[in-house]
Amino acid sequence: MYSPHVRREATSLIDSGVSYTEVGRRMGINRSTLQSWMRDRSLVDKYLGTDLCPRCEPIPGTPKPLDAYSYLLGLYFGDGSLTPAGDPAKRVWRLRVMCSDTWPGLIELCAGAMAAIRPDHKVSRVPSTGCTEVHSNWKHWPCLFPQHGPGRKHDRTIALEPWQQVIVEEHPKNFVRGLIHSDGSRVLNRVKRKHPDGCERYYEYPRYHFTNVSTDVIGLCTEALDQLDIPWKVHTSKGKGTHQDKHVVSISRKEAVARMDSFVGPKY
């Protein structure tokens, strides 16, 4: 299957007077295929509305809308994956994001982000034990999520492409929101403090946690938080000795939690 821009380029060359034989030689396209495109111009843009990939255009573009993509990228780094859809020979990929049934609102947000990026593709919801898989099939999902690769994310390097970096820097709130919605939480922390009168009292305050086994993904999260001027720290656990967990980011200052509440908020 030829992409729309290849079809357009081939027919434009023929329109300009280049022979079928020469166009076929330059572009590696069978003469009969070129002739069928010239006889029926609807075949040239047949997949324009359904299969056009912004990254595969002669001048690569970015997926739109940018805010939806930044949010979906955060979800992908947390609970997302790409797998072949059906026969691998057809090279159709399934973008899958696993969403807990505890948060039905997030299932709709995830489906909405996928639909916004590919409005002419179906977004499906498949129930499973305790969760729902939100997925959409498309040949070009790997173009939009080049971090895809064999094995688990934490076993390979995860880094943003330059064009992704630009999007995340333009829409860091959406990116952080996607990360928190996938592998984060807003919790109520309860601590016991001893007063001067000798009495011990409990205090409660909200905080955000983001947990991911990939230190690269943790780094992407903290970079976005730094850009937003939201202070964070590596989570410290207490028990049999105090230790830090480099896979958990904690946001606990009152003003920082308030900032997070303004664009992330608790799951629902």
Side-chain angles (χ1 to χ4, degrees):
M1 182 182 296
Y2 295 95
S3 63
H5 77 263
V6 171
R7 296 167 185 247
R8 293 196 298 271
E9 181 181 356
T11 53
S12 295
L13 286 172
I14 295 172
D15 284 338
S16 68
V18 181
S19 68
Y20 285 98
T21 301
E22 178 60 19
V23 173
R25 186 189 67 79
R26 292 183 190 180
M27 303 185 68
I29 303 172
N30 187 278
R31 180 185 178 92
S32 62
T33 300
L34 294 172
Q35 290 174 332
S36 67
W37 292 350
M38 295 301 291
R39 284 194 302 268
D40 184 359
R41 289 303 181 99
S42 67
L43 296 175
V44 175
D45 289 329
K46 180 179 179 181
Y47 301 97
L48 183 59
T50 61
D51 211 44
L52 187 60
C53 173
R55 300 301 304 161
C56 293
E57 284 290 286
I59 300 178
T62 53
K64 301 291 193 303
L66 298 180
D67 55 348
Y69 175 77
S70 188
Y71 175 70
L72 189 58
L73 183 63
L75 291 178
Y76 169 76
F77 282 145
D79 294 322
S81 63
L82 289 178
T83 57
D87 183 0
K90 294 182 178 180
R91 295 182 297 175
V92 176
W93 292 89
R94 174 166 295 174
L95 173 62
R96 310 166 64 211
V97 179
M98 305 304 295
C99 302
S100 171
D101 290 339
T102 307
W103 321 114
L106 300 187
I107 296 174
E108 297 307 314
L109 287 173
C110 176
M114 285 190 193
I117 293 171
R118 298 304 308 159
D120 42 16
H121 279 56
K122 180 181 178 181
V123 177
S124 300
R125 300 165 180 79
V126 179
S128 186
T129 303
C131 65
T132 295
E133 175 188 306
V134 180
H135 72 246
S136 179
N137 297 342
W138 190 29
K139 285 192 171 184
H140 295 279
W141 282 126
C143 302
L144 270 58
F145 296 94
Q147 287 74 27
H148 168 67
R152 299 178 179 180
K153 296 188 187 78
H154 64 268
D155 291 330
R156 60 181 188 273
T157 300
I158 299 295
L160 296 178
E161 294 290 325
W163 61 270
Q164 290 178 305
Q165 187 69 51
V166 171
I167 294 175
V168 169
E169 289 177 357
E170 290 181 359
H171 300 275
K173 291 181 179 179
N174 301 81
F175 182 63
V176 171
R177 191 181 191 214
L179 290 173
I180 297 296
H181 281 179
S182 60
D183 276 346
S185 61
R186 185 186 189 274
V187 299
L188 197 62
N189 203 43
R190 196 164 186 255
V191 295
K192 184 168 62 174
R193 296 283 173 81
K194 190 172 184 178
H195 282 240
D197 60 6
C199 296
E200 291 184 338
R201 298 176 185 174
Y202 284 94
Y203 290 89
E204 294 181 340
Y205 63 94
R207 71 193 305 173
Y208 280 87
H209 284 165
F210 175 69
T211 305
N212 197 286
V213 181
S214 170
T215 54
D216 289 341
V217 174
I218 290 289
L220 294 176
C221 177
T222 55
E223 285 175 11
L225 291 172
D226 288 341
Q227 183 185 343
L228 293 166
D229 292 323
I230 295 177
W232 57 272
K233 61 182 180 180
V234 175
H235 181 60
T236 301
S237 300
K238 294 181 179 180
K240 293 182 178 179
T242 300
H243 69 279
Q244 291 184 326
D245 188 343
K246 64 180 180 180
H247 299 295
V248 182
V249 174
S250 176
I251 301 164
S252 57
R253 292 187 185 178
K254 184 176 180 180
E255 64 278 7
V257 172
R259 281 286 312 282
M260 293 286 285
D261 284 344
S262 69
F263 63 89
V264 177
K267 297 181 180 181
Y268 65 97

